[in-house]
Amino acid sequence: MFTVLFWNIKGQTEPRLITSLAYEHDVDVLILAESSIDSTLLLDQLNRNLTVSEDNIYQDEPFSADLTSTAVAIYTRLAKANFLSIHDEKKLAIRALRLPRTEEIILVGLHLPSAMNMDSTDRAALSAEWNRTIADAESKRGHVRTIVVGDFNMNPFDLGMIQHNGFNATMCRQIAKRKS
């Protein structure tokens, strides 16, 4: 199973807990928000006792850092050729992932500002802007197989989450399947 782990570590500098969690869940892509951990130190910890699971066809190699991201810290076990940078801006990273035995997917890692730094109206407007950015990436890649992970800093029913031009979140799978 392909596994993505997103964590807002809020400036934590100790990599042991992150490494332990990555091992425990056999993580393929690790995305960290508010990370001030030295990437060399974290990579050393992630790869120190690394074993390749024969059941996990996604793990091409040891962890490497995606140094193109300015939004979040991204570490992956996918080969660089299978992990393509599509878009980067402050707190929003979009990648195309070419996975074995499946079609390409788009992975979005984001970190919206908290209520302390941006009011709900501005967060809703930013959600709409990022929705357009994600839609543009989907259009360029020719598909909508997209996974969005991150720290939205919103409640599930805040305007930025539910508005049609925002993240357009729904309450349940049945409604989402309607595509309307």
Side-chain angles (χ1 to χ4, degrees), residues 11-152:
Q12 177 184 203
T13 58
E14 177 53 54
R16 276 184 262 161
L17 188 57
I18 297 163
T19 302
S20 174
L21 197 59
Y23 283 164
E24 181 179 335
H25 294 283
D26 204 17
V27 170
D28 302 298
V29 177
L30 172 65
I31 304 173
L32 303 174
E34 296 185 25
S35 176
S36 57
I37 295 177
D38 177 89
S39 62
T40 306
L41 175 63
L42 182 55
L43 284 172
D44 180 57
Q45 292 285 320
L46 285 168
N47 292 321
R48 179 166 289 160
N49 299 313
L50 192 64
T51 58
V52 175
S53 168
E54 291 185 20
D55 296 335
N56 195 333
I57 60 172
Y58 307 111
Q59 296 172 350
D60 296 326
E61 53 191 47
F63 277 99
S64 62
D66 176 354
L67 300 176
T68 62
S69 176
T70 59
V72 290
I74 303 174
Y75 301 88
T76 181
R77 293 183 69 179
L78 296 174
K80 290 186 189 332
N82 296 328
F83 195 79
L84 311 170
S85 179
I86 303 302
H87 181 87
D88 265 296
E89 65 183 77
K90 189 173 183 179
K91 300 189 178 231
L92 175 69
I94 303 175
R95 301 293 181 269
L97 282 61
R98 295 181 183 146
L99 304 173
R101 300 184 203 155
T102 189
E103 296 180 89
E104 176 185 279
I105 64 168
I106 295 171
L107 178 64
V108 179
L110 59 81
H111 181 209
L112 277 148
S114 72
M116 293 185 329
N117 297 314
M118 184 180 279
D119 69 28
S120 62
T121 304
D122 289 337
R123 283 197 315 271
L126 185 57
S127 296
E129 180 183 324
W130 284 1
N131 181 19
R132 287 188 301 275
T133 302
I134 294 166
D136 287 347
E138 291 171 335
S139 178
K140 288 176 186 170
R141 299 308 292 182
H143 65 83
V144 293
R145 293 179 302 277
T146 303
I147 300 169
V148 181
V149 297
D151 185 348
F152 293 83

Side-chain angles (χ1 to χ4, degrees), residues 143-169:
H143 65 83
V144 293
R145 293 179 302 277
T146 303
I147 300 169
V148 181
V149 297
D151 185 348
F152 293 83
N153 273 314
M154 287 187 273
N155 291 314
F157 299 107
D158 282 355
L159 186 59
M161 293 299 285
I162 62 171
Q163 67 186 355
H164 74 281
N165 64 341
F167 291 111
N168 202 21

